[in-house]
């Protein structure tokens, strides 16, 4: 908490509103995505992030524009916070050429290299080695940048997680391992896929700083990420952060949710990151009359605009199918 | 296949239900059998194949695993060495790459390398194929590619009968068997004889006899190929459709016999063209029935691109009936050209 | 190649030294280049290729890695995305299976899947091949098999010139390049021109012109094939030997042009026969020069077994000159038969 | 230590002599193998175990005949202690049909399934998942057997190590993870390939008992393995044991040993497991006049006999090359 905030709330009003707006945008955007899916405008796999918004907003707002991100397939929120427009993401999921990956990637593969957003990766833990490499490049080039790898609890069981943590720690690479622990890998509860359910204990075994954070609290997430990023930027090496969160929706649109108890879901909904953030803003006296209505209106409009944009989007010409399998060589 | 009245003595079911029936039968008949893989239990299987099995057989025999493809596939191999008959489910072949070391360097190798001291009766089920807009990392069709590996058997059930019958037969094999289930087929509905059971694994099947050209295919492409054959029939072209069924070992007698009869062949393969199984088939035809050929063998394969998400691009990347029809006409045309 | 007097203007060196010279040149010329892999540093490389490099370039640019094939190959991909020009050494392709997910699902895929937003200029060097009695888990020849994957390039330097020159050219490629070095060749000695440098990667090379039959091969089999061609010459059979050099993409013009001229072809491939690159070559010949062929294309490949340790069995499993000679005679014989 | 040994030495004289003899046999057998390699009778890769004999003798003697072993490529010692004859191993390395793998495996792939010795595996960490499966089969079959997986420190960095430890611990499988930490993975020192150089700390992160043992002391190794095996047999699940040892010879016959200091090797040779065992037997008064000479003579003779047997061995007929790629089907 920065002491200069008498309210005891670490953000100034405008900043706080911006955070809230982003969480609301993610929520609304995904609700609209689910509807578009039912309407058949989005196909393939669609993984909703609803309930986990505080992780994306807290973590990614704590990074600098020049830092890099490698995410997984549940990444709408990450892309939005990183500044990929709702238009570009919705168009991508509609399979349109105006999408952030030209419609080739869909929901699981949002890319915006101009923002150093190196994609949603749909092979669980498959993005971690890429993050190692991006950070290694920065280290070799002596650039004060960090790379954040975002993944789920399920990824922790994969060999690529293990190899990546060892490599990053061994080489003191500027990597932030951000584990969004939502307690399930698809239908498998943490205790049924991890022998060590305290993931910070497991990570600490590699000899890097490991900390658990309330993933329903954007401020707590931001604080932890900022500290870890600062350490990494100064050559202090990688950190592991467990963001304890929960997904309110099914794993994907196909998931009948046979594996968890509705009451458990309801309990977690009591910790809704948006409601929590709002009440803390209220306590701090940072919410003025009409703020919420205004934000909701803005967000609603932004999402509606994204849907319209995506609808109006064009299809990449079929002749371009084989384009970009290889990079065109510059003429010598 | 999904049209029309239910035939007497049959049950109407989906491919998914046929596989489930096979899994349940295996678990009921042989105490050494167990099912292991990601989300096969509480979730019911990512394609709902094993839905209900956890409740029926319990967590010992229907085992959810962590995301650890290499370890649980290797564990299936080890359990087979230890006297069990594991059915290991790899959600999709896309993740199977993470277990390829275990499949190639252990499952396929240990028997020969040890001088024949052990057998590894493990069955590995994998979903495969594109066509569901799940994009490049989830749309691989590697069943033909894996057929390169000696020491394993590769099955590609395309019909309800094979979906129902191949698993039990695979479990009787003393060596590792990989069963590739094309994910697009799970929802396919049809009538299956009430007493459907194990099927033989030795032979390719002629799904449609014909005189003018042999269409060689397998798995997800079978029904596209049959559709193309019907369209050709309406134009007076009588195509024979051969379903390979087993990709390793290949049933040369049936495949080459068909081509020798029709003197023309078109191969339809959902793998990327270069180095796909279609190449091996063409090479074998070259080697064995060259002098019977009236025209060069044609191949209809997947475009050599990571499979895109957008439907129109994905459709364009995959083998489709029009391309099959065009290839058939080329082989016929060239014969007179 | 190792016989005789040193030619003027040349230096006598081994294939190993030629690769080392290429690695050193790359590290000297481009600050973005670094070498990373298991034991490339303190040990000097498992085949002594990078011996001395750690001392010359330091641990930042010659990086020993833990045994973590998937992570350090992925790290090479990521570092390339981050502006570097990594040379990743996978000790042998046998361990490359552990990194295949990174190669297929990331290196080969990310550019297309992101709509062309990035390029991945990573070079991966792998030792490959059998013939050293290191048994089944250390004797794979997967370079032809990997050629199935769109999005990557595959090089197989067989000569000193290519060992010396392909690496720099590969580093100029914007996309991932896999360079397969046949481990048996490291000790091969010969004369290399003093100003030897980068070579083009576009074309297959006709290593021996001939009129009667085209022998298509690459990598470790080139010299066995040339030896067979010499033996055939003594019997009055004039064989053309084509070294593919690049397995993906294939240089169809040179390959098919040669076969069209000689009207006969024998493919020599150290991969297991079924589904090897030899099948793709045969299929392309079928498709493009069928009407020019005087005889069916023959293949000489590795027997479909895990490679045994015992020398006599290993020799029997691999393509050898007598088998190549016999195959050539079959193609010639059949033409008149 | 079993109290019933007044000498304070936990083994009776005959037993102690048997242990000593086995360590000597391994040492002598490998010296002879190195000579046979130079003579060109053994080819391919040959990895010597000299210096690590106490690990094999202590660990494997603590197992029961029905327990299973999965080893790596530095496994001559493991095979010998398990009861594979020197003849069968030497013949294997000579590529003869009388070898324990019919000459198809060579030094890295010794198999004897009749003794549940499931081979040397030459893919580092590649044998661990097999051990998981063997143990799972025993658990499902309710057989009171344990499976020992033997591997090196280098294997700890591999993803397959990580996945296997998690699975074994999660499922409480009767597996013993025996890590022969000889401080180097080929030419890479432990601190240069592991971010956490105390491997027991790393293993403990999975939530299984992890203990470090003096790998130069066969008795200490046996004691730890016996305790871990008993626990596993009673359903207590897996254990990780770090056997701290050192290889006196090069990694393989090709290794110029550029990466380590001769003095370091000399220091470790002071801890020679055979010399140490002998002096402790002496102290305990368990060595009689002439014992050593007799043992050395026996071992010498056994190795000479193995060499002669291997020399006289036959080659598998070339026609059998493709035999055993698949199992012959029983006639129905
Ligand atoms: C290597 C691999 N194995 C399996 C899958 C199938 N799969 C997709 S998501 C998922 C669960 C991942 O859970 P977690 O990492 O916790 O992320 P979450 O979905 O909870 O955000 C699985 C098994 C995959 N995509 N990649
Ligand atoms: C997956 C894999 N990567 C690389 C190799 C090459 N290699 C063989 S042994 C070895 C070092 C292994 O060290 P360690 O596990 O400590 O065993 P040690 O040789 O010290 O007994 C390496 C890198 C291999 N065999 N397998
Ligand atoms: Mg999760
Ligand atoms: Mg070691």
């Amino acid at each position: 908490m920065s002491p200069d905030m008498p309210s005891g709330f670490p953000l100034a009003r405008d900043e706080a509103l911006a955070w809230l707006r982003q969480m609301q945008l993610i929520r609304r955007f995904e609700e609209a995505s689910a509807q578009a899916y039912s309407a058949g405008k989005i196909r393939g796999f669609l993984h909703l992030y609803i309930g986990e918004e505080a992780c994306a907003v807290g973590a990614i707002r704590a990074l600098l524009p020049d830092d890099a991100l490698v995410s997984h397939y549940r990444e709408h929120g990450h892309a939005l916070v990183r500044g990929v427009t709702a238009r570009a993401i919705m168009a991508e999921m509609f399979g349109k050429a105006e999408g952030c990956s030209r419609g080739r990637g869909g929901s699981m593969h949002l890319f915006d290299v101009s923002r150093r957003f190196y994609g949603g990766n749909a092979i669980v833990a498959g993005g971690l080695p890429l993050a190692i490499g991006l950070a290694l490049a920065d280290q070799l080039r002596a650039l004060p940048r960090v790379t954040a790898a975002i993944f789920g609890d399920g990824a922790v069981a994969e060999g690529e997680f293990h190899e990546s943590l060892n490599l990053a720690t061994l080489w003191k690479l500027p990597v932030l391992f951000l584990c969004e622990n939502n307690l399930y890998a698809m239908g498998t509860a943490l205790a049924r896929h991890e022998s060590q359910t305290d993931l910070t204990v497991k990570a600490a075994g590699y000899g890097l700083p490991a900390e658990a954070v309330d993933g329903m609290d954007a401020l707590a997430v931001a604080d932890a990420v900022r500290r870890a990023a600062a350490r990494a930027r100064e050559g202090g090496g990688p950190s592991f952060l467990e963001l304890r969160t929960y997904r309110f929706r099914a794993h994907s649109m196909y998931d009948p949710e046979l594996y968890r108890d509705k009451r458990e879901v309801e309990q977690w909904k009591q910790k809704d990151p948006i409601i929590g953030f709002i009440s803390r803003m209220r306590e701090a006296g940072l919410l003025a009359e009409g703020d919420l209505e205004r934000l909701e209106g803005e967000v609603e409009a932004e999402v509606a605009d994204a849907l319209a944009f995506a609808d109006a989007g064009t299809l990449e010409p079929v002749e371009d199918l084989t384009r970009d399998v290889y990079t065109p060589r510059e003429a010598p | 296949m999904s049209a029309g009245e239910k035939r007497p003595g049959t049950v109407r079911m989906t491919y998914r239900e046929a596989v489930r029936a096979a899994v349940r039968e295996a678990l009921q008949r042989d105490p050494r059998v167990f099912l292991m893989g990601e989300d096969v239990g509480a979730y019911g299987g990512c394609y709902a194949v094993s839905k209900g099995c956890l409740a029926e057989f319990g967590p010992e025999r229907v085992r959810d695993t962590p995301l650890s493809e290499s370890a649980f596939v290797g564990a299936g191999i080890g359990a087979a060495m230890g006297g069990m008959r594991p059915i290991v489910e790899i959600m999709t072949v896309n993740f199977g790459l993470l277990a390829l070391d275990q499949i190639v360097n252990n499952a396929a190798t240990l028997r020969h390398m040890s001088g024949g001291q052990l057998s590894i009766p493990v069955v590995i089920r994998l979903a495969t194929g594109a066509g569901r807009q799940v994009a490049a990392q989830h749309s691989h069709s590697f069943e033909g590619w894996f057929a390169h590996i000696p020491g394993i058997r590769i099955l590609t059930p395309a019909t309800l009968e094979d979906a129902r019958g191949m698993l039990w037969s695979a479990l009787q094999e003393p060596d590792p068997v990989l069963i590739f289930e094309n994910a697009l087929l799970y929802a396919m509905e049809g009538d299956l004889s009430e007493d459907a059971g194990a099927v033989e694994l030795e032979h390719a099947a002629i799904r449609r006899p014909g005189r003018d050209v042999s269409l060689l295919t397998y798995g997800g492409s079978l029904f596209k190929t049959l559709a193309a054959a019907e369209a050709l029939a309406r134009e007076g072209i009588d195509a024979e459709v051969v379903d390979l069924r087993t990709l390793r070992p290949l049933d040369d007698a049936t495949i080459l016999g068909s081509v020798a009869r029709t003197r023309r062949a078109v191969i339809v393969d959902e793998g990327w063209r270069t180095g796909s199984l279609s190449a091996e088939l063409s090479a074998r035809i070259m080697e064995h029935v060259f002098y019977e050929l009236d025209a060069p063998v044609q191949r209809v394969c997947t475009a050599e691109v990571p499979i895109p998400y957008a439907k129109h691009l994905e459709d364009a990347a995959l083998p489709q009936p029009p391309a099959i029809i065009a290839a058939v006409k080329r082989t016929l045309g060239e014969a007179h050209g």
Side-chain angles (χ1 to χ4, degrees), chain A, chain B:
Chain A
M1 299 252 173
S2 50
D4 57 354
M5 292 290 155
S7 64
F9 195 86
L11 304 176
R13 169 177 151 83
D14 291 358
E15 181 69 359
L17 286 170
W19 288 43
L20 175 57
R21 186 185 191 288
Q22 246 169 0
M23 286 195 278
Q24 290 174 320
L25 176 63
I26 297 171
R27 175 87 42 112
R28 192 65 205 91
F29 181 89
E30 291 213 315
E31 287 163 353
S33 304
Q35 286 153 5
Y37 196 94
S38 312
K41 297 192 170 200
I42 300 176
R43 297 282 79 198
F45 289 135
L46 178 69
H47 306 90
L48 300 184
Y49 192 65
I50 291 175
E52 309 186 29
E53 295 90 346
C55 300
V57 171
I60 297 171
R61 288 190 75 104
L63 300 175
L64 301 183
D66 227 23
D67 294 335
L69 271 94
V70 179
S71 181
H72 55 161
Y73 49 83
R74 192 182 299 284
E75 87 281 32
H76 308 147
H78 308 137
L80 282 167
V81 178
R82 190 56 176 181
V84 187
T85 65
R87 285 181 159 203
I89 299 170
M90 194 63 79
E92 182 59 33
M93 298 199 289
F94 277 42
K96 302 299 178 71
E98 293 74 14
C100 57
S101 303
R102 295 181 61 84
R104 291 166 169 197
S107 164
M108 301 195 292
H109 303 299
L110 307 175
F111 280 81
D112 187 344
V113 170
S114 71
R115 292 183 169 83
R116 305 203 74 222
F117 189 78
Y118 291 101
N121 201 303
I123 302 299
V124 169
L128 272 62
L130 301 179
I132 300 304
L134 286 160
L136 175 59
D138 288 338
Q139 186 186 64
L140 288 168
R141 297 171 63 190
L143 296 172
R145 310 194 294 194
V146 309
T147 299
I150 305 179
F151 53 94
D153 51 292
V156 173
E158 289 282 2
E160 290 186 328
F161 167 88
H162 174 73
E163 297 183 0
S164 298
L165 260 74
N166 183 45
L167 217 49
T169 311
L170 191 65
W171 291 350
K172 281 188 156 305
L173 297 176
V175 181
L176 309 185
F177 294 100
L178 306 181
C179 178
E180 296 179 328
N181 178 5
N182 57 14
L183 298 177
Y184 290 88
M186 230 164 124
T188 306
L190 183 64
R192 297 180 51 253
H193 70 76
E194 279 300 318
S195 62
Q196 171 52 268
T197 53
D198 184 338
L199 301 181
T200 63
V201 170
K202 186 160 206 172
Y206 294 84
L208 83 172
E211 179 181 342
V213 186
D214 178 358
M216 308 308 263
D217 178 353
L219 297 167
V221 171
D223 179 58
V225 171
R226 205 176 292 106
R227 284 184 280 110
R231 186 167 51 236
R233 232 179 278 287
E234 290 149 14
S239 300
F240 175 91
L241 293 177
E242 177 191 352
L243 312 182
R244 295 188 170 161
T245 183
Y246 197 80
R247 80 175 140 69
F248 293 173
R249 299 295 189 94
H251 167 74
S252 73
M253 305 307 282
Y254 295 118
D255 171 9
E257 287 189 84
L258 307 170
Y259 51 84
R260 66 182 187 181
D261 181 338
K262 295 268 161 295
R263 266 165 308 153
E264 179 184 285
V265 182
E266 289 316 313
Q267 280 160 9
W268 274 93
K269 283 187 176 169
Q270 301 313 310
K271 305 182 189 155
D272 187 307
I274 298 179
I275 296 172
F277 195 85
I278 289 174
S279 52
R280 288 189 52 190
M281 278 183 73
R282 272 228 178 71
E283 290 161 19
L286 294 176
L287 264 186
E289 187 61 36
D291 278 344
L292 288 182
E293 297 63 21
R294 196 186 70 259
L295 289 186
E296 272 153 25
E298 285 175 28
V299 162
E300 190 60 50
E302 185 169 349
V303 171
D305 167 72
L307 287 163
F309 177 82
D311 256 325
T314 61
L315 296 179
E316 181 174 21
V318 169
E319 306 66 56
D320 288 1
L321 173 63
T322 57
R323 178 178 145 185
D324 298 322
V325 176
Y326 295 95
T327 307
R329 295 214 186 70
E330 304 90 29
Chain B
M1 223 174 148
S2 59
E5 275 298 287
K6 167 180 165 320
R7 281 182 272 109
T10 67
V11 261
R12 172 146 290 246
M13 64 170 75
T14 61
Y15 183 103
R16 171 183 293 105
E17 291 162 338
V19 178
R20 183 185 303 143
V23 169
R24 292 185 55 228
E25 179 193 20
L27 286 162
Q28 286 159 353
R29 278 176 70 173
D30 188 340
R32 299 169 306 173
V33 170
F34 66 99
L35 176 67
M36 165 166 69
E38 290 159 8
D39 290 304
V40 296
Y43 191 94
C46 63
Y47 294 106
V49 165
S50 49
K51 197 166 174 179
C53 291
L54 176 61
E56 182 174 359
F57 300 100
E60 287 260 294
R61 300 188 65 201
V62 178
R63 309 182 71 90
D64 282 322
T65 66
L67 280 100
S68 304
E69 286 76 8
S70 198
F72 71 73
V73 169
I77 297 166
M81 286 161 45
M84 303 299 289
R85 291 287 182 279
I87 302 172
V88 179
E89 177 177 308
I90 302 178
M91 273 191 180
T92 76
V93 67
N94 309 286
F95 323 136
L97 293 180
L98 290 163
L100 201 54
D101 166 59
Q102 287 296 326
I103 294 170
V104 171
N105 284 319
N106 285 338
T109 300
L110 295 185
R111 175 176 176 77
H112 188 272
M113 191 169 73
S114 66
Q117 290 184 62
L118 48 82
S119 292
I120 301 177
V122 63
V123 173
I124 302 174
R125 295 176 43 243
L126 314 87
T128 187
R132 294 163 306 122
Q133 287 192 255
V134 290
Q137 294 181 331
H138 277 60
S139 299
H140 295 300
S141 296
F142 284 148
E143 54 271 40
W145 195 48
F146 280 27
H148 180 57
I149 308 300
I152 60 176
R153 292 176 185 277
I154 295 190
L155 311 179
T156 54
T159 63
L160 284 182
E161 290 68 20
D162 282 347
R164 176 67 180 84
M166 278 184 164
L167 179 62
W168 183 255
S169 305
L171 285 164
Q172 309 318 304
E173 289 289 341
D175 303 310
V177 180
L178 274 64
I179 304 180
F180 286 85
E181 299 162 3
N182 188 290
L184 273 183
L185 296 178
Y186 284 126
M188 178 179 74
E189 221 183 348
D191 298 330
L192 189 64
S193 143
E194 272 152 7
D195 52 18
V199 296
E200 61 87 23
L201 307 176
E202 305 305 303
H203 301 96
I206 294 177
R207 300 295 182 194
R208 182 188 193 286
R211 287 182 323 279
D212 300 336
V213 58
S214 297
L215 307 186
L216 311 176
T217 190
Y218 63 88
S221 300
L222 174 61
F223 298 100
K224 292 174 178 178
T225 306
L226 285 166
E230 291 314 316
L232 287 162
R234 288 192 289 277
E235 302 184 38
I237 299 171
D238 186 22
E240 177 152 298
V241 177
V242 180
D243 173 3
L244 302 179
R245 298 183 69 240
T246 296
L247 304 192
R248 184 176 187 98
L250 287 166
D251 173 12
D252 284 333
T254 304
I255 297 164
L256 301 174
S258 172
V259 177
R261 268 197 318 280
T262 65
R263 311 179 75 86
R264 294 184 178 78
V266 171
I267 305 161
V268 184
D269 188 334
E270 199 178 312
W272 287 310
R273 183 186 186 90
T274 297
S276 62
L277 191 71
S278 68
E280 179 62 27
L281 292 166
S282 181
R284 291 189 185 199
I285 292 167
M286 163 80 82
E287 286 151 11
H288 300 287
V289 292
F290 178 76
Y291 295 107
E292 283 71 42
L293 287 179
D294 283 343
V297 173
Q298 302 284 326
R299 294 188 286 164
V300 180
C301 304
T302 290
E304 303 199 25
V305 302
I307 304 299
Y309 164 72
K311 183 169 196 328
H312 68 295
L313 293 178
E314 183 178 41
D315 289 344
L318 301 175
Q320 305 292 357
I324 300 168
I325 291 166
V328 166
K329 291 181 176 173
R330 275 202 306 284
T331 62
L332 292 162
E334 287 188 22
H336 323 297

